[in-house]
C-alpha cells in the first residue's frame, strides 16, 4: 500500500528549517547594532578625550597692556583755579544831588579820571538863578547892617551931649546886631544853594579807570539814578579765583600768579593780595584775590584761568597719554592685582615737559595704563607689562 512508501529526506528537512529561521533572522540585526555602538563609543573616546570647552582658549588669551608705576617726584607745586575778572575796588557813581537834565557827558568807558573830576553835567539854570537871588540878598543884608552900624556910631557921639538916651543906644545896638545876623543867614542860604548847584555835577569819587558809562546827553536823571558810571579805583583789577578747600591752606598773600583770560593767548602776572576767610559750604571752595594792573586785554566780568606757584611738592607724575578726560573730569585706568581694569578719578596739578603731576587720586604705587586707555573698559581683564621707561612722554 502507498502508506508504507519511504519518506524523502529532503521533504523531512523542510519543517525543521522553518522552525529555526526566525531566530537567525533576529540575531543578525542585533549583532550589527552592537557593532555600530562599539564603533561609535571608540570614536567618541578617541575624538572627545582632552577636548575643553570653547570658552577656555578665549579666556586664556588676554590683551597685553603697557603700564607705568609713577612713584613720587619733586615737582613745582602749581595750584590751578578758575574765576572771573573784577575791579579790586568797584565804585558805582550816581547822582549826588536833586538831578535833572543831563547837558554833557565828559568821559567814556576805558578812560582814566582823577578824584573829583566832573564826569557829567546836569542843567543848573534854575539853581543858578536862585544863587544869584540869594547873593543879592546877602549884599542887601550887608548894606542894612552897615547902615545900622553907622546909626549906632552917630548916636554914640551924641550920648555925652545929652541928645540921645542910653535906651536909644541899646535899641540901635540891637538893630545893628540883628542886621549882622541877617547877613550871616543870607550868606548861609546862598552857600547852601551854591553847594546844591555844585552837586548837580556828577564827579569821580576816586581816581581810577572808568569801566562803564550808562548815561547820555539829554537823559533825565534823579537821586535814584545810582549807576551812571562804574570806576575801578586806582585802575587796579583783580581775579577772584575759586580754589578748592584743600588747596587754600597752601596759599599765602604775596604769592605770584599767572592769569590767562579764556580765549586769550596772553598771560598777565599778578600777586595774591587777599584770601577770603570764608569757605562756601556748598561748593567747598574759597576765593583767592589776585591783584592785576589794568591792561587792554583784561575785561571786567571775563572768565579766566589762574596758576599760582605755591612752592615745591612731592607727587606722582604721569605721561600726558595716561590721563583722559570725560564729563566728570580727569581720570586714569589702574590695573589691579587681579589684572582687572579700574577707572580712577584724579586731579591734575602742574603740567610740564616731564608730564602731568597728580595732586589727588594716586599715591604712586599703582599700575597705571600708559596709553591706549580709550580702547579699554572698566572691568576688563588684561595682562599688564611694566614699561622700561616710566617717565613722562
Amino acid at each position: 500500500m502507498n502508506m508504507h512508501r519511504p519518506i524523502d529526506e529532503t521533504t523531512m528537512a523542510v519543517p525543521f528549517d522553518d522552525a529555526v529561521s526566525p531566530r537567525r533572522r533576529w540575531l543578525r540585526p542585533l549583532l550589527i547594532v552592537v557593532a555600530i555602538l562599539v564603533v561609535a563609543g571608540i570614536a567618541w573616546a578617541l575624538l572627545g578625550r582632552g577636548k575643553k570647552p570653547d570658552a577656555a582658549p578665549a579666556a586664556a588669551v588676554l590683551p597685553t597692556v603697557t603700564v607705568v608705576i609713577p612713584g613720587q617726584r619733586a615737582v613745582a607745586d602749581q595750584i590751578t583755579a578758575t574765576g572771573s575778572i573784577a575791579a579790586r575796588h568797584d565804585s558805582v557813581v550816581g547822582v549826588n544831588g536833586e538831578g535833572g537834565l543831563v547837558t554833557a557827558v565828559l568821559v567814556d568807558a576805558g578812560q582814566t579820571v582823577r578824584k573829583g573830576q566832573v564826569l557829567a553835567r546836569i542843567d543848573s539854570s534854575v539853581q543858578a538863578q536862585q544863587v544869584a537871588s540869594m547873593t543879592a540878598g546877602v549884599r542887601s543884608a550887608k548894606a542894612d547892617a552897615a547902615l545900622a552900624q553907622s546909626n549906632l556910631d552917630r548916636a554914640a557921639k551924641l550920648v555925652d551931649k545929652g541928645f540921645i538916651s542910653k535906651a536909644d543906644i541899646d535899641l540901635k545896638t540891637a538893630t545893628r546886631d540883628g542886621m549882622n545876623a541877617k547877613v550871616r543867614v543870607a550868606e548861609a542860604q546862598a552857600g547852601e544853594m551854591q553847594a546844591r548847584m555844585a552837586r548837580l555835577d556828577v564827579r569821580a569819587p576816586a581816581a581810577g579807570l572808568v569801566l562803564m558809562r550808562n548815561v547820555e546827553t539829554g537823559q533825565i536823571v534823579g537821586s535814584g539814578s545810582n549807576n551812571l558810571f562804574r570806576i575801578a579805583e586806582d585802575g587796579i583789577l583783580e581775579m577772584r579765583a575759586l580754589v578748592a578747600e584743600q588747596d587754600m591752606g597752601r596759599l599765602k598773600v604775596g604769592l605770584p600768579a599767572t592769569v590767562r583770560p579764556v580765549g586769550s593767548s596772553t598771560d598777565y602776572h599778578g600777586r595774591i593780595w587777599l584770601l577770603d576767610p570764608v569757605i562756601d559750604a556748598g561748593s567747598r571752595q574759597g576765593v583767592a584775590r589776585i591783584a592785576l594792573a589794568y591792561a587792554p586785554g583784561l575785561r571786567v566780568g571775563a572768565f579766566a584761568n589762574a596758576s599760582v606757584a605755591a612752592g615745591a611738592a612731592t607727587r606722582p607724575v604721569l605721561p600726558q597719554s595716561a590721563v583722559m578726560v570725560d564729563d566728570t573730569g580727569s581720570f586714569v585706568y589702574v590695573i589691579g592685582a587681579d589684572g582687572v581694569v579700574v577707572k580712577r578719578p584724579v586731579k591734575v596739578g602742574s603740567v610740564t615737559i616731564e608730564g602731568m603731576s597728580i595732586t589727588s587720586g594716586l599715591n604712586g604705587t599703582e599700575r597705571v595704563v600708559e596709553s591706549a586707555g580709550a580702547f579699554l573698559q572698566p572691568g576688563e581683564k588684561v595682562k599688564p607689562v611694566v614699561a622700561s621707561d616710566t617717565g613722562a612722554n
Side-chain angles (χ1 to χ4, degrees):
M1 293 180 66
N2 292 337
M3 58 183 302
H4 296 285
R5 189 177 54 184
I7 300 173
D8 186 22
E9 293 180 358
T10 60
T11 304
M12 294 178 62
V14 172
F16 179 78
D17 290 339
D18 291 339
V20 299
S21 61
R23 182 180 302 175
R24 290 181 180 179
R25 284 199 302 266
W26 285 106
L27 179 61
R28 182 177 297 176
L30 180 62
L31 292 177
I32 293 174
V33 172
V34 172
I36 291 173
L37 293 176
V38 171
V39 172
I42 295 172
W44 179 85
L46 293 176
L47 298 177
R49 183 179 299 171
K51 186 177 180 180
K52 297 181 180 179
D54 294 340
V61 180
L62 298 176
T64 300
V65 175
T66 303
V67 298
V68 293
I69 302 176
Q72 297 277 344
R73 298 187 193 179
V75 296
D77 190 8
Q78 295 285 336
I79 296 177
T80 58
T82 58
S84 57
I85 306 297
R88 180 171 175 176
H89 297 292
D90 195 343
S91 295
V92 178
V93 184
V95 177
N96 194 29
E98 298 175 357
L101 176 68
V102 177
T103 59
V105 180
L106 306 179
V107 298
D108 209 339
Q111 296 180 352
T112 57
V113 296
R114 63 184 182 277
K115 183 177 181 179
Q117 179 177 337
V118 178
L119 307 179
R121 295 190 184 279
I122 298 176
D123 180 33
S124 59
S125 57
V126 175
Q127 289 81 359
Q129 295 299 321
Q130 291 175 337
V131 168
S133 175
M134 290 181 177
T135 301
V138 171
R139 289 195 297 267
S140 176
K142 286 183 177 180
D144 292 340
L147 178 60
Q149 183 65 50
S150 297
N151 292 335
L152 177 61
D153 292 341
R154 285 193 298 268
K157 293 178 182 180
L158 298 176
V159 171
D160 295 338
K161 297 180 180 180
F163 295 107
I164 300 296
S165 66
K166 180 65 174 173
D168 291 335
I169 294 295
D170 292 341
L171 179 60
K172 292 182 181 296
T173 300
T175 302
R176 189 271 320 268
D177 293 343
M179 291 300 176
N180 288 335
K182 288 182 179 180
V183 170
R184 290 190 291 271
V185 170
E187 289 177 338
Q189 290 175 342
E192 178 187 0
M193 184 54 61
Q194 288 175 345
R196 287 177 179 273
M197 188 173 67
R199 289 174 61 186
L200 291 175
D201 292 335
V202 180
R203 298 178 180 271
L209 175 72
V210 179
L211 299 176
M212 184 182 299
R213 163 188 161 177
N214 291 326
V215 62
E216 298 295 338
T217 302
Q219 183 176 340
I220 303 296
V221 296
S223 58
S225 304
N226 295 324
N227 195 20
L228 302 184
F229 298 92
R230 285 179 57 197
I231 295 178
E233 294 186 14
D234 300 322
I236 300 177
L237 305 181
E238 69 175 7
M239 177 185 173
R240 297 173 183 175
L242 299 176
V243 182
E245 180 180 8
Q246 62 269 22
D247 294 332
M248 284 292 289
R250 306 205 307 272
L251 296 179
K252 297 180 181 178
V253 173
L255 287 178
T258 301
V259 175
R260 174 175 291 188
V262 172
S264 173
S265 59
T266 304
D267 291 334
Y268 300 90
H269 301 284
R271 290 184 178 274
I272 295 177
W273 75 275
L274 178 66
L275 296 173
D276 282 2
V278 178
I279 298 294
D280 186 85
S283 63
R284 310 310 306 173
Q285 291 179 320
V287 178
R289 298 176 181 253
I290 303 170
L292 300 165
Y294 171 73
L298 293 175
R299 294 177 173 83
V300 173
F303 195 73
N305 298 306
S307 177
V308 182
T314 302
R315 292 191 175 129
V317 177
L318 291 174
Q320 295 187 22
S321 61
V323 182
M324 292 168 286
V325 180
D326 61 9
D327 295 339
T328 62
S330 300
F331 68 94
V332 297
Y333 281 134
V334 175
I335 308 302
D338 55 357
V340 175
V341 177
V342 178
K343 182 179 179 180
R344 181 79 61 85
V346 296
K347 184 177 179 181
V348 178
S350 59
V351 180
T352 64
I353 58 174
E354 296 182 352
M356 308 175 74
S357 64
I358 306 301
T359 60
S360 64
L362 297 176
N363 59 27
T365 62
E366 298 88 349
R367 296 183 296 178
V368 181
V369 177
E370 183 180 30
S371 60
F375 300 100
L376 298 177
Q377 294 294 331
E380 183 178 354
K381 195 166 186 179
V382 298
K383 179 181 179 181
V385 176
V386 179
S388 59
D389 180 10
T390 60
N393 290 345

